[in-house]
């Protein structure tokens, strides 16, 4: 199979009229498709349930985006059985045919790019460019993993022995549970699901409750790409019920999870138990939260640092695992940079992201809104409120971009993931103290260092302990194939999505020695 070398999918330029008109048309097309009911998909069968979970538009909570069937234990059992049955033939399907499914799905997504982005504007409150960037990443993941699977299928590195034919190859594991979070429903589900499937595994996908419509559309695209029944099974439902039953199921061979530290830690513990009928130790991948620091020294380009801090902290309302939620600034430029950040944040337009000039949309739901407002209350006691801190008087789950200054490194708002538009700013004596503060957290996902001094940059590279470190740029926006993504410490198992080694999680090595 010959395919062109990988290159990242370009982003849509919304400054051109044609693209703007195209996106507006998609927003109105998708609006007409909102409110449908989506079934579970088990072994190719569509199964409706009496109960449904409603996914709503966080900017207009009365607008239902999709109603989703609710899986319970019996559906989990059926889905694992269907995936087990499908594994027999899918695991023996050629890697070329499996890669072709991903390439076909990527092609379909290119053709429906604006529709998928528009859906996330409604379902998640993503700004146009954020949604478009995510769909581009979905295409990248499919294209990247198709190529990586083909690469891994080539056997080499085995020492020849006279009179024998020896083989070493990678074979799939079995049935996987794919459990994804709501904030990047398309790219994170695609990443785990397509990596599992292209390597010959079959999966049961459990998306987050608040973004199930996006994942239902994604799974339908895979079905259109001639994927055999039972290879991807979709179980929408509650995490504590369907997610937990899936984690506990003895037929599940591996779990790929992206989500919070709290749920990830629970899954890790439960997955370690061997239950009746289970013939393996479950392999577990957990990608969890972050409390990412942006360190700025006195030699840095402060204009650039301001721009990147703002984008990293407030892009998608700060609801990214990679968000730069701590700014650590060397004291000689602290006052200058803080006033620049506050002035820039004042200009951010808050509102319904259906409007392309809006940068800060709603947070995902009422629970998130309440949690973030609680942290803001805490911040008022722990430090100085420099900007925001209020819920604007508008329909939907909106919170103003909020900045706290003079935050101490041990403050809870400096240590705990808030997952909202809240930036904690801290003062460091010098750049080394800044790095010390950056490292003083349980997490280790992303981080940024701004400086013009090559020696300090070298020291930062060696001493900032995060999975994804960026020099003189924001902490968000990893590109697949370019910045393999995954965190250290309590941010997860560092499986590096979009990297050259990622598929190995979904494979086991098999040696076959044959005497002639
Ligand atoms: P979450 O942990 O609440 O939910 C994630 C998924 O787990 C959902 O599908 C949910 O239904 C399911 N779930 C909930 N309880 C479960 C249980 N007991 N057993 C099995 N499954 C269960 O996370 P979220 O709110 O959807 O996402 C936000 C979190 O995800 C943040 O902490 C963020 O930092 C993290 N995240 C990490 C990355 C990364 O790559 N490291 C990327 C995106 C998001």
């Amino acid at each position: 199979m010959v395919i062109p070398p990988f290159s990242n999918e370009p982003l849509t330029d919304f400054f051109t009229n044609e693209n703007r008109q195209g996106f507006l048309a998609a927003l109105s097309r998708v609006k007409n498709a909102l409110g449908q009911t989506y079934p579970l998909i088990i072994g190719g069968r569509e199964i409706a349930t009496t109960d449904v979970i409603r996914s709503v538009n966080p900017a207009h909570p009365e607008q239902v985006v999709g109603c989703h069937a609710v899986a319970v234990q019996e559906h989990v059992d059926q889905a694992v059985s269907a995936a087990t049955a499908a594994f027999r033939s899918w695991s023996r399907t050629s890697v070329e045919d499996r890669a072709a499914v991903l390439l076909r799905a990527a092609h379909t997504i290119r053709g429906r790019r604006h529709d998928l982005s528009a859906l996330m504007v409604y379902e998640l409150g993503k700004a146009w460019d954020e949604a478009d960037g995510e769909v581009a990443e979905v295409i990248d993941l499919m294209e990247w993993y198709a190529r990586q699977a083909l690469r891994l299928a080539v056997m080499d590195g085995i020492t020849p022995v006279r009179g024998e034919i020896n083989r070493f190859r990678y074979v799939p594991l079995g049935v996987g549970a794919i459990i994804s979070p709501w904030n990047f429903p398309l790219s994170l589900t695609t990443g785990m699901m397509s990596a599992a499937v292209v390597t010959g595994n079959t999966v049961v996908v459990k998306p987050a409750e608040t973004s199930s419509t996006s994942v239902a559309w994604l799974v339908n695209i895979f079905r259109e790409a001639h994927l055999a029944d039972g290879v991807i099974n979709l179980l929408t439902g509650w995490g504590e019920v369907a997610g937990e039953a899936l984690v506990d199921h003895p037929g599940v061979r591996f779990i790929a999870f992206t989500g919070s530290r709290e749920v990830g830690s629970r899954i890790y513990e439960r997955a370690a138990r061997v239950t009746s009928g289970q013939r393996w130790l479950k392999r577990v991948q957990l990608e969890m939260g972050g409390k990412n620091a942006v360190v700025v020294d006195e030699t840095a380009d402060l204009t650039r640092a301001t721009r990147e801090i703002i984008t990293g902290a407030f892009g998608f309302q700060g609801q990214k695992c990679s968000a730069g939620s701590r700014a650590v600034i060397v004291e000689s430029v602290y006052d200058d940079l803080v006033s620049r950040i506050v002035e820039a944040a004042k200009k951010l337009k808050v509102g319904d992201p259906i409007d392309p000039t809006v940068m800060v949309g709603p947070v995902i739901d009422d629970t998130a809104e309440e949690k973030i407002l609680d942290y803001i209350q805490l911040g008022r006691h722990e430090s100085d409120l420099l900007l925001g801190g209020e819920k604007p008087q508008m329909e939907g789950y909106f919170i103003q971009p909020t900045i706290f200054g003079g935050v101490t490194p041990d403050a809870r708002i400096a240590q705990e993931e808030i997952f909202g538009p809240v930036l904690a700013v801290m003062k460091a004596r010098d750049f080394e103290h800044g790095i010390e503060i950056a490292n003083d957290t349980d997490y280790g996902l992303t981080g940024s260092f701004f400086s013009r001094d090559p020696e300090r940059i070298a020291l930062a590279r060696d001493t900032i302990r995060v999975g994804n470190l960026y020099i003189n740029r924001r902490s968000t926006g990893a590109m697949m194939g370019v910045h393999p993504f995954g965190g250290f410490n309590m941010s997860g198992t560092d499986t590096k999505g979009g990297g050259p080694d990622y598929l190995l999680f979904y494979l086991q090595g098999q040696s076959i020695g044959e005497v002639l």
Side-chain angles (χ1 to χ4, degrees), residues 179-184 188 206-209 237-240 242-244 247 257-264 266-267 287-290 320-322 417 419 445 485-487 491:
I179 304 178
S180 53
W182 60 265
N183 67 332
F184 284 90
L188 291 169
K206 159 63 189 89
E209 296 81 334
W238 301 108
E240 304 79 359
E244 192 135 318
V247 167
F257 167 86
T258 308
S260 64
R261 169 180 174 173
E262 184 194 355
V263 174
R266 182 177 173 88
I267 289 176
E287 293 305 323
M288 311 191 290
K320 298 184 186 181
C321 55
S322 55
E417 186 185 46
F419 221 56
L445 187 48
F485 191 79
S491 290

